[in-house]
Amino acid sequence: MPAFGFQPHDHADCIRTTLAQADAYCAQHKLKLTPIRRRALEILLAEHRALGAYDLLAVLAEDGLGTAPPVAYRALDFLTSAGFAHKIEGLNAYIACAHFGADHSPAFLICTSCKSVAEAETTATQGRLGEAARAAGFTISRTVVEALGLCPQCQEAPCA
Amino acid sequence: MPAFGFQPHDHADCIRTTLAQADAYCAQHKLKLTPIRRRALEILLAEHRALGAYDLLAVLAEDGLGTAPPVAYRALDFLTSAGFAHKIEGLNAYIACAHFGADHSPAFLICTSCKSVAEAETTATQGRLGEAARAAGFTISRTVVEALGLCPQCQEAPCA
DNA sequence: GCTTGATATGTTATAGTATTACATTTAGCA
DNA sequence: TGCTAAATGTAATACTATAACATATCAAGC
Ligand SMILES: [Zn+2]
Ligand SMILES: [Zn+2]
Ligand SMILES: [Zn+2]
Ligand SMILES: [Zn+2]
């Protein structure tokens, strides 16, 4: 599955499908996608961009779903634990998962100009990082892989 | 150069050599390794661990080199810009560079038990992340690659 | 239906990380 | 010496995240 988010696509469908998948996944795994959690996911899905916890909170507050920081952080904890969202460490921000369901090691391509983010797959224990880890006798449990740079659109139109 | 930091080594020499290299590099590039900056690097070098900005500041304060946050953040800006230190995004912490001088794309192996950190090399534009970027038409300027897990020592003695 | 325990939410306060802004000093150079 | 740019001193503030505890909701199991 290629990196997603920079190519134009039917994004309304993108949102609809993911929410439906999340509903199904939660039903199957006895997780509760409560109104706050579901709306938080929907907000993250609105754009292929990362949102700060307080940005998310501001939108939840507009909807009357809570005003205090724990509201946002609890929703984000749930979504990230369930694999519905990821934290972008380099931005202290959160984004909906684009490779739903799979237990995966995400890698992000982050455009420093337009702030859009695409999620690609990596294999944690393969590749050069895996090699380095094996050579050092290190056991990987989680990886953070993020690339900062320019997306195709912003390379062509730097001032956009 | 293999990942470093987990293997026992002459660490006093490790510090001495790096400081000397930093002195030389600054002389050559007309950068000023002022007392605050030099001491900050020395503090980061003291252990192969990442230090928070405020931890660094606390030590600088003991030495009478400043008490306000900008003191630490300015020193860290200088050190990271010069390539003498790196930020570990996943920890909001900073560590001295273990591959001095080279303009490189560091990858970190971070032990979640003992907090030690080893720095390995990666090539930003090669490997799987590079492939994903090329496929997406994305131009990488900087990468964040961090692996969380257990170092050799902590795998053997989980309670240490 | 009621009890009960576990999960989720409401709310306040606080901890931890980082930057802005502006005054002052210092270092390098004409 | 006088000028300029860089570095430092300092206060205030912004941004990110968690702790702690009260209350409410839900899903069994009786
Ligand atoms: Zn979409
Ligand atoms: Zn994902
Ligand atoms: Zn050493
Ligand atoms: Zn390095």
Side-chain angles (χ1 to χ4, degrees), chain A residues 4 9 11 14 48:
Chain A
F4 205 63
H9 60 279
H11 187 56
C14 195
H48 290 280

Side-chain angles (χ1 to χ4, degrees), chain A residues 124-140, chain B residues 1-4 6-7 107-109 118-122 145 147:
Chain A
T125 52
Q126 288 177 251
R128 292 162 197 276
L129 186 58
E131 282 171 31
R134 265 190 303 284
F138 185 91
T139 306
I140 295 176
Chain B
M1 194 172 196
F4 205 63
F6 299 146
Q7 270 71 39
F108 299 98
L109 305 176
E119 179 177 349
E121 286 284 357
T122 56
V145 178

Side-chain angles (χ1 to χ4, degrees), chain B residues 1-66:
Chain B
M1 194 172 196
F4 205 63
F6 299 146
Q7 270 71 39
H9 61 280
D10 182 343
H11 187 56
D13 183 62
C14 196
I15 295 176
R16 216 178 310 118
T17 304
T18 306
L19 282 173
Q21 286 176 315
D23 285 326
Y25 182 93
C26 286
Q28 188 177 349
H29 291 77
K30 307 223 183 279
L31 297 174
K32 283 188 278 192
L33 195 59
T34 63
I36 293 179
R37 292 167 176 177
R38 195 170 195 281
R39 179 67 182 128
L41 177 55
E42 196 178 30
I43 291 163
L44 291 182
L45 281 166
E47 292 179 73
H48 290 281
R49 292 205 304 127
L51 230 56
Y54 282 73
D55 297 328
L56 171 64
L57 180 59
V59 183
L60 289 173
E62 283 175 15
D63 296 359
L65 291 171

Side-chain angles (χ1 to χ4, degrees), chain A residues 2-7 109-111 116 118 120 149-156, chain B residues 129-141:
Chain A
F4 205 63
F6 298 146
Q7 269 72 39
L109 305 175
I110 303 161
C111 181
S116 67
L150 291 177
C151 75
Q153 283 79 28
C154 290
Q155 286 170 61
E156 293 172 10
Chain B
L129 185 58
E131 282 170 33
R134 264 190 303 284
F138 186 91
T139 305
I140 294 177
S141 61

Side-chain angles (χ1 to χ4, degrees), chain A residues 65-135:
Chain A
L65 290 172
T67 60
V71 171
Y73 284 102
R74 283 168 183 158
L76 288 168
D77 279 351
F78 175 85
L79 295 176
T80 53
S81 298
F84 300 166
H86 302 292
K87 180 174 186 183
I88 310 283
E89 296 289 348
L91 301 176
N92 292 320
Y94 305 82
I95 191 166
C97 177
H99 294 140
F100 191 89
D103 185 11
H104 57 287
S105 297
F108 299 99
L109 305 175
I110 303 161
C111 181
T112 52
S113 174
C114 71
K115 316 295 178 193
S116 67
V117 176
E119 179 177 348
E121 285 284 356
T122 56
T123 43
T125 52
Q126 288 177 251
R128 292 162 197 276
L129 186 58
E131 282 171 31
R134 265 190 303 284

